[in-house]
Amino acid sequence: MLVDAKRSNVKLVIAGLLLGLFMAALDQTIVSTAMTTIIEKIGGFDKFIWVYSAYMIAMVVSTPIFGKLSDMYGRKRFFLAGLILFMLGSILCGTAQNMEQLIIYRAIQGIGGGALMPIVFTIIFDLFPAEKRGKMMGLFGAVFGVSSVFGPVMGGVITDNISWRWIFYINVPIGIMAVIFIAQAYHETSSPRKQIIDWAGAISLTACVLALMFGLELGGTEGWAWDSAKTISLFVASGVLLIAFLLIERSAKDPIIKLSLFKNNVVTGGMGISVLYGGIMMAAATYIPLFIQGVFHKTATETSSVLTPMMLGVVLSSQVGGRVVSKFRFRDVMVVSALVLVVGTLLLGFVMDTETSRLVITLFMVVIGLGIGVSFSLLNISTLNAVPPQYKGSASSLITFFRTIGSALGITVFGAMQKSAFQSGITDIPNINPELATQIKGGQALLNPDVQAQMGLPAELVAQLLGKLADSILFIFQWTIILPVLALVFAILMGRARLQSTGSGPHGAPGGPGKQGPGPQGEGSGKPEPSYHGG
């Protein structure tokens, strides 16, 4: 499927895509501020974490499947399907009467989100010639930073002045506008060919991801110790299913994920960076607010906008990355990005301490944001530039897929490390009650003054415990430096490939009449695979 340039209204298409992406990205941040109110209204404190997990798991599972389907049957119908599913899930979330219902409805939203994010970037690649893609990818990559800045603020304002239910209902008018714009303005040319759906691959991939995500989400919780048979069995099952999926994909006629794409160093490097950057962003977004709460004695509401400097850095960097990609090799831009992140994690782990001022911490956060933001635009451009047209939807979906997996792994691994460091640290406090040490686990509950009062903790002990909490978070940031160093290796792996100006003509016509876009190997990354090139 290609864009029908004569019938499509590009400006309206861009507006529809921006609205759809903003809606999906916003929903990942707007809920957090309202969660306390939601728990007060419908209960379910012991299950509320699944409001986030259900969305993430559903999105991870559906992303590669929607990416492949968009390659087979066209982008438009599945982008519209994603919008409708997302709006349906939003309406249902707004009507939820208990936490169980809210979790199920969030999963429906997640399925819709799995279609929106990857297809947006694929359509952009189809719409614009090479010299304009960077600018557009930067614009769309910046949406993630903007949503992270405004999401918590909007969540608080809507919850306080209207109702928590409207943090979900607000998606409906946005989604309707996006549906109208895309339905009316975006047209594709049909490219009929016999379609074969890889059901075995889809089922095995879904089961593999579900087992992995449930293992990560349940591991370490009550009844699911990391070394318990139940938890280990989930990870073993995920590994077995992964092997089964790879074997199926090797022989499938039209696989969900074309494994030979990973022979391309640009694709492999981009996916590796996506995993690592997902972990870095999750570590920063989770633990910087906790550090500031503990050290500066701020409430959760007061720290709701604490990530704004980092996200503004993401927005700026995404724009810059999109604009410079046409002038430099992918490798060179990502090496600079990784080096900036090395500096940022060094500052957080080895320079920042409990005596560091808020202003200095803010500057450190900006550095982290500047390092991360480039990836939102450049990885989409580099990956889509490296694969043939029939695999662009699948390739784009893999970026979202691996970034989300990296986020899940990051929060799980760093969470376990932080808890262990905190538990080890509090044993140094004289006369600490062993039972208290067990109750406070990772120490985050101590940030709530009500919890401190319920436990009857004296102010001096609270100060000591919060100091140990801060130390455990600094310990996390010291280990985080490994991730950008590994990302640097993957960036170098991308080789000499750069944006191909002949890769696509205006409005998605591949290279103009009689020309073929670059094969999956990209420039300077090895021998092309002949089967990807057609007359």
Side-chain angles (χ1 to χ4, degrees):
M1 298 286 179
L2 293 175
V3 178
D4 188 334
K6 294 181 179 179
R7 297 173 59 204
S8 296
N9 185 322
V10 175
K11 291 182 179 180
L12 288 181
V13 173
I14 294 301
L17 295 177
L18 282 170
L19 288 170
L21 184 61
F22 179 72
M23 182 178 69
L26 182 68
D27 213 70
Q28 297 184 46
T29 58
I30 195 172
V31 177
S32 58
T33 311
M35 188 50 63
T36 302
T37 302
I38 293 173
I39 293 171
E40 290 176 358
K41 298 295 184 181
I42 65 174
F45 176 78
D46 57 326
K47 303 182 185 73
F48 85 91
I49 192 63
W50 284 97
V51 173
Y52 306 102
S53 301
Y55 183 92
M56 180 183 291
I57 291 171
M59 188 176 73
V60 171
V61 168
S62 62
T63 292
I65 296 174
F66 275 120
K68 178 60 180 177
L69 290 173
S70 76
D71 283 334
M72 296 173 67
Y73 299 107
R75 322 288 184 210
K76 181 176 180 177
R77 66 182 67 184
F78 289 103
F79 186 75
L80 291 175
L83 286 171
I84 292 169
L85 269 175
F86 199 93
M87 286 191 290
L88 174 62
S90 298
I91 293 169
L92 291 172
C93 285
T95 64
Q97 300 301 310
N98 54 56
M99 192 61 71
E100 289 79 6
Q101 289 181 359
L102 183 58
I103 290 168
I104 294 170
Y105 301 154
R106 282 282 286 172
I108 296 174
Q109 273 191 312
I111 295 172
L116 296 178
M117 291 195 179
I119 296 178
V120 162
F121 290 102
T122 311
I123 291 176
I124 290 300
F125 203 90
D126 291 340
L127 273 175
F128 291 95
E131 60 270 17
K132 294 185 179 180
R133 287 176 189 154
K135 180 180 178 180
M136 296 309 301
M137 289 288 189
L139 172 64
F140 278 79
V143 170
F144 292 96
V146 172
S147 66
S148 298
V149 172
F150 289 105
V153 177
M154 287 179 63
V157 171
I158 292 172
T159 302
D160 292 342
N161 295 284
I162 308 175
S163 166
W164 67 267
R165 298 183 186 277
W166 275 92
I167 67 171
F168 299 109
Y169 292 148
I170 192 67
N171 292 326
V172 178
I174 298 174
I176 289 174
M177 290 176 63
V179 167
I180 293 172
F181 289 158
I182 297 299
Q184 295 295 320
Y186 182 60
H187 299 280
E188 295 174 317
T189 58
S190 61
S191 178
R193 66 185 179 95
K194 187 177 180 180
Q195 308 289 357
I196 302 173
I197 298 178
D198 178 19
W199 291 110
I203 293 170
S204 58
L205 176 63
T206 299
C208 169
V209 173
L210 284 174
L212 173 63
M213 296 297 287
F214 276 117
L216 292 173
E217 295 296 331
L218 293 172
T221 61
E222 187 175 351
W224 290 82
W226 289 111
D227 57 354
S228 69
K230 292 189 294 185
T231 304
I232 293 173
S233 65
L234 284 174
F235 290 120
V236 171
S238 179
V240 171
L241 288 164
L242 174 61
I243 294 172
F245 170 73
L246 294 175
L247 293 174
I248 291 168
E249 296 305 274
R250 288 185 63 183
S251 58
K253 291 184 178 180
D254 206 347
I256 292 290
I257 297 175
K258 187 74 171 177
L259 298 181
S260 57
L261 294 177
F262 288 91
K263 294 178 182 178
N264 181 333
N265 289 343
V266 174
V267 174
T268 302
M271 300 310 155
I273 293 170
S274 293
V275 172
L276 296 165
Y277 275 37
I280 295 169
M281 190 163 185
M282 186 56 68
T286 301
Y287 290 107
I288 289 178
L290 291 179
F291 183 85
I292 289 177
Q293 276 185 260
V295 172
F296 296 98
H297 307 292
K298 301 292 184 181
T299 65
T301 302
E302 290 172 329
T303 56
S304 61
S305 60
V306 73
L307 292 175
T308 298
M310 186 177 82
M311 294 309 172
L312 291 176
V314 169
V315 172
L316 175 62
S317 181
S318 178
Q319 289 284 307
V320 172
R323 291 176 181 273
V324 303
V325 69
S326 61
K327 300 177 182 178
F328 301 96
R329 295 186 178 94
F330 303 135
R331 174 194 64 193
D332 299 340
V333 180
M334 288 312 304
V335 163
V336 173
S337 168
L339 288 174
V340 171
L341 273 180
V342 169
V343 173
T345 50
L346 278 171
L347 293 173
L348 290 180
F350 296 93
V351 177
M352 185 175 74
D353 56 31
T354 55
E355 302 298 323
T356 306
S357 68
R358 276 292 301 274
L359 176 60
V360 173
I361 294 175
T362 297
L363 294 175
F364 293 171
M365 292 167 63
V366 171
V367 174
I368 293 289
L370 291 173
I372 291 174
V374 171
S375 68
F376 285 112
S377 53
L378 187 134
L379 293 184
N380 282 288
I381 297 172
S382 62
T383 301
L384 290 170
N385 185 76
V387 301
Q390 65 267 34
Y391 299 118
K392 292 193 185 300
S394 296
S396 180
S397 70
L398 289 176
I399 299 169
T400 303
F401 178 83
F402 280 108
R403 182 180 285 122
T404 309
I405 291 290
S407 297
L409 286 169
I411 195 62
T412 301
V413 173
F414 288 131
M417 292 173 63
Q418 184 272 326
K419 179 181 175 181
S420 176
F422 178 72
Q423 289 289 323
S424 176
I426 61 178
T427 57
D428 297 333
I429 299 177
N431 304 317
I432 187 73
N433 185 345
E435 185 176 333
L436 174 64
T438 303
Q439 289 177 343
I440 57 181
K441 297 180 181 179
Q444 289 93 328
L446 292 170
L447 298 172
N448 188 334
D450 294 335
V451 173
Q452 298 173 14
Q454 289 172 8
M455 290 185 173
L457 302 176
E460 182 180 351
L461 179 57
V462 169
Q464 289 179 299
L465 290 170
L466 290 178
K468 297 300 181 183
L469 174 62
D471 291 342
S472 69
I473 293 172
L474 292 174
F475 174 76
I476 291 299
F477 290 138
Q478 290 165 7
W479 278 95
T480 305
I481 192 175
I482 294 175
L483 301 187
V485 170
L486 291 175
L488 189 60
V489 175
F490 278 106
I492 295 172
L493 181 66
M494 297 176 83
R496 298 173 58 83
R498 64 192 307 155
L499 190 63
Q500 297 289 330
S501 59
T502 59
S504 193
H507 305 297
K515 295 183 181 180
Q516 184 72 24
Q521 297 301 324
E523 178 189 353
S525 58
K527 298 179 181 179
E529 187 171 321
S531 61
Y532 284 175
H533 295 269

